[in-house]
Amino acid sequence: MLSYRHGFHAGNSADVLKHWVIERVLSYLTQKDKPCFYGDTHAGAGMYFLNSDIANKTAEYQRGVKKLFGGAAAPLPFSRYLSLLSQCEAEVGADAYPGSPWWAAKILRASDRLNFCELHPQDYPKLEQLFKRDKRVKVFNEDGFIKSVALMPPPEKRGLVVIDPSYEIKSDYEKVVQHIVALHKRFATGTYALWYPVVDAARAAKLEHRFIQAGLKNTQLYELQTELPENGGMYASGMIVVNAPWTLTQDAQKVLPWLSLCLSSSAVKAQGKDAGFRIKTLCDE
């Protein structure tokens, strides 16, 4: 299905969580001199503008990235996210908000390699145009679920694959687990980061249980709740990370309480100190 456009949701609370996790994983991987690989199965347009009609149809960024400023100082593990966001605004414009491919391209080095997949006929040309001069990048107008498996294992033997489908098709909640298992069979040393929305608590719980059943070692869950379920729509979102860097949970223990303070509605905050976030190990080392 190709009705989903990420531009409607750019800069929302889910984007903040997702891009922060991507930044932390890639910052960890680039500590070593060895080259690494980045893959994105549903890359989107790569750059969004918060003053556009599409972004303001929902204006979700007002409850996301725009709420990060003016409150309590950010914890240290969030500082590079903010620095890169400022860099994007300086280079592209004050109303720009970057998608996952931009974050990855800025963090990775000349020796690293990036592959992006995007099927949408309006978003693919924008993505291709954004990276047309970047020799590290290949953009595929192909199904990311299929292409990403074909690209495994990368010759670098190190890297991150981000899986971020729209979940318009409800079977995606089961498909994503099968997909990561298939990727892991070909590239067991890779890190896999799955974004998921929480619209229906039972469906999200089944997703979590499927990962526990899959038994992939060192699988961690990071979830941020910003609204009450009874308000309707997506009230939380999360990242499930397989082969997570050992530093990621330590960083999340500092960042998620702060993000919850910044982004959660007053009703969520009233539920208790830790109501707005979860950090959970789904499978140990």
Side-chain angles (χ1 to χ4, degrees), residues 47-51 66 85-98:
M47 185 63 66
Y48 306 95
F49 295 91
L50 304 183
N51 59 352
K66 293 297 184 182
L85 185 59
S86 295
Q87 183 179 346
C88 176
E89 292 175 348
E91 292 177 358
V92 185
D95 289 303
Y97 186 82

Side-chain angles (χ1 to χ4, degrees), residues 58 60 247 250:
T58 59
E60 291 181 16
T247 53
Q250 292 181 348

Side-chain angles (χ1 to χ4, degrees), residues 103-117:
W103 292 92
K106 283 297 179 184
I107 296 165
L108 293 179
R109 307 151 300 183
S111 60
D112 300 323
R113 197 166 54 88
L114 305 92
N115 285 173
F116 307 140
C117 296

